[in-house]
């Protein structure tokens, strides 16, 4: 199976401050970090770790070699020209032996600067505020058409879309349905107030709603959001709710799933919440694809939906208690 994530790449600058600054005020940051970011890139970082950890644990068994051949991770993003320092920084950040294929990404030959994200992270609340700067032209529908032509019509694939520009993403999904009829599609409905996200979600097989989007839409709980939002063709809808864990609804079986955070709040020290949602999505995509969770546990070694959600919640809970993503899978006891 080809697992393809489509989203924006950023180079993040993260400032940790004691509290959010007032307007027109001065405040000294306690730390500054610079690293590669972006929802899909963060998710891929975690997924490649999970895959590597799984293959090591299988210790060279025949099933491992088959999975290596059958599952491939791809990233579609827009980057500056291939020789730019920013592009090299992004690619090298995944490691020399990363299984992620950048061959389908789009390189703007006249550009040298990647998109940037400036993040202010408050020690007082554990939350963060983001400001983005995007100097690169977005992917066009025509460019996406050329990319889809490089995948086998007969092959199985899973495509996950960040939903940055819904009108373009919607066209891409509609093309994908025609060109690759076996493809499964998931989308993120994340940013409050972004027009076109509901229309985008209506075309997906799996929908991830963010807590921020649900609250801005008037929902006081994840469960209410999943019950009331039109699901379109989706067979699975999911809404993580921070410290409240995550909720999911299988529209095939009718199952309503809630997996709370199992650690007691007093046992959790929030160190770095940046990328927690991306980590949750990585855990879900790993369960749905590598562990056949989308088939709801029909295979001998498959996970059902509840196990996928439980796995993703536990993984995201561990992530907020550590800085960045390095070594996350190695420190996580997989079920």
């Amino acid at each position: 199976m080809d697992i393809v994530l489509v989203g924006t790449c950023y180079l993040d600058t993260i400032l940790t401050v004691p509290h959010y600054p007032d307007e027109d005020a001065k405040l000294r940051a306690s730390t500054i970090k610079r690293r590669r970011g972006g929802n899909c890139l963060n998710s891929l970082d975690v997924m490649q770790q999970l895959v590597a950890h799984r293959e090591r644990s299988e210790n060279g068994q025949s099933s491992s070699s088959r999975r290596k051949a059958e599952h491939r991770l791809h990233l579609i993003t827009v980057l500056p020209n291939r020789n730019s320092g920013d592009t090299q920084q992004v690619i090298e950040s995944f490691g020399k032996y990363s299984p992620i294929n950048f061959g389908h990404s789009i390189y703007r030959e006249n550009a040298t600067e990647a998109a940037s994200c400036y993040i202010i992270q408050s020690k007082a609340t554990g939350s963060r505020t983001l400001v983005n700067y995007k100097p690169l032209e977005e992917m066009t529908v025509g460019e996406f058409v050329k990319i889809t032509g490089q995948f086998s019509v007969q092959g199985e694939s899973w495509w996950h879309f960040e939903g940055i520009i819904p009108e373009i993403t919607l066209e891409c999904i509609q093309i994908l349905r025609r060109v690759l009829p076996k493809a499964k599609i998931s989308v993120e409905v994340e940013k409050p107030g972004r027009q076109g996200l509901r229309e985008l979600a209506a075309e997906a097989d799996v929908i991830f709603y963010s807590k921020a989007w649900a609250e801005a839409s008037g929902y006081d709980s994840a469960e209410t959001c999943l019950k009331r939002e039109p699901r379109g063709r989706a067979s699975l809808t999911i809404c993580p709710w921070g410290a409240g864990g995550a909720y999911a609804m299988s529209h095939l079986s009718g199952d309503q799933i809630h997996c709370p955070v199992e650690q007691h709040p007093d046992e959790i020290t929030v160190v770095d919440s940046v990328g927690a949602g991306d980590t949750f999505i990585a855990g879900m995509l790993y369960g749905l694809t590598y562990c056949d969770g989308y088939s709801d546990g029909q295979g001998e070694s498959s996970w059902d939906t509840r196990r996928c959600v439980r796995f993703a919640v536990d993984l995201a809970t561990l992530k907020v208690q550590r800085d960045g993503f390095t070594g996350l899978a190695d420190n996580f006891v997989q079920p």
Side-chain angles (χ1 to χ4, degrees):
M1 174 184 283
D2 289 300
I3 303 164
V4 189
L5 276 68
V6 186
T8 301
C9 170
Y10 292 98
L11 292 179
D12 291 347
T13 299
I14 305 169
L15 291 169
T16 302
V17 296
H19 56 81
Y20 284 125
D22 295 327
E23 186 175 351
D24 202 29
K26 292 183 178 180
L27 185 64
R28 184 184 296 273
S30 58
T31 64
I32 183 171
K33 292 175 286 187
R34 294 184 175 90
R35 66 191 187 202
R36 176 260 307 135
N39 292 16
C40 287
L41 285 90
N42 290 341
S43 295
L44 276 171
D45 192 338
V46 177
M47 286 187 73
Q48 73 166 357
Q49 292 185 49
L50 294 171
V51 171
H53 182 89
R54 178 169 180 158
E55 289 172 350
R56 287 195 300 270
S57 66
E58 289 176 343
N59 197 25
Q61 298 175 14
S62 59
S63 60
S64 175
S65 61
R66 286 198 301 270
R67 187 173 293 110
K68 277 186 178 180
E70 293 172 357
H71 290 77
R72 295 165 293 273
L73 295 171
H74 306 269
L75 174 66
I76 297 177
T77 192
V78 177
L79 292 168
N81 71 72
R82 294 175 186 268
N83 295 321
S84 75
D86 282 5
T87 295
Q88 293 303 311
Q89 181 180 344
V90 169
I91 295 174
E92 291 171 4
S93 69
F94 284 96
K96 184 176 180 180
Y97 300 105
S98 170
I100 298 168
N101 177 18
F102 280 81
H104 303 296
S105 286
I106 299 163
Y107 299 88
R108 301 292 183 216
E109 293 305 321
N110 295 326
T112 59
E113 186 179 7
S116 300
C117 182
Y118 299 88
I119 303 170
I120 300 175
Q121 186 165 260
S122 168
K123 280 188 174 181
T125 63
S127 58
R128 71 275 191 280
T129 296
L130 291 76
V131 179
N132 295 332
Y133 170 66
K134 297 172 67 176
L136 299 171
E137 294 180 10
E138 299 285 356
M139 176 184 69
T140 67
V141 174
E143 287 171 327
F144 184 77
V145 170
K146 292 180 181 179
I147 293 169
T148 59
Q150 299 169 24
F151 289 85
S152 169
V153 175
Q154 301 301 321
E156 294 184 348
S157 58
W158 189 292
W159 297 67
H160 177 75
F161 291 88
E162 191 176 335
I164 291 294
I165 304 180
E167 59 272 22
I168 291 178
T169 305
L170 180 59
E171 284 191 64
C172 291
I173 290 176
Q174 291 168 341
I175 290 167
L176 198 57
R177 293 290 186 198
R178 295 194 300 268
V179 175
L180 300 175
K182 291 186 177 182
K184 299 297 181 185
I185 297 170
S186 59
V187 300
E188 288 182 62
V189 176
E190 181 192 24
K191 187 174 181 180
R194 179 169 286 162
Q195 298 299 311
L197 287 178
R198 280 194 173 94
E199 291 79 4
L200 188 64
E203 296 295 324
D205 299 298
V206 176
I207 307 170
F208 292 94
Y209 296 103
S210 73
K211 179 183 179 183
W213 186 89
E215 289 180 326
S217 300
Y219 300 118
D220 59 2
S221 69
E223 185 178 18
T224 304
C225 173
L226 297 184
K227 285 182 177 179
R228 294 185 181 177
E229 273 299 306
R231 66 179 179 88
R233 64 186 292 161
S235 57
L236 178 63
T237 52
I238 308 153
C239 185
W241 205 258
Y247 292 73
M249 185 174 293
S250 171
H251 300 283
L252 295 178
S253 65
D255 290 344
Q256 299 178 33
I257 298 165
H258 174 219
C259 291
V261 174
E262 292 189 327
Q263 280 185 266
H264 190 276
D266 292 342
E267 300 174 343
I268 298 175
T269 300
V270 176
V271 174
D272 179 13
S273 63
V274 177
D278 307 329
T279 301
F280 175 85
I281 288 177
M284 284 298 305
L285 292 178
Y286 174 79
L288 293 171
T289 56
Y290 277 85
C291 305
D292 299 322
Y294 191 70
S295 63
D296 209 25
Q298 299 302 310
E300 183 178 345
S301 60
S302 298
W303 294 7
D304 60 14
T305 303
R306 181 176 294 277
R307 188 173 182 184
C308 292
V309 178
R310 176 77 272 155
F311 177 82
V313 169
D314 291 346
L315 187 65
T317 302
L318 177 61
K319 188 271 162 287
V320 300
Q321 298 175 78
R322 61 189 299 124
D323 184 29
F325 305 95
T326 302
L328 180 60
D330 292 335
N331 298 130
F332 180 65
V333 180
Q334 299 189 35

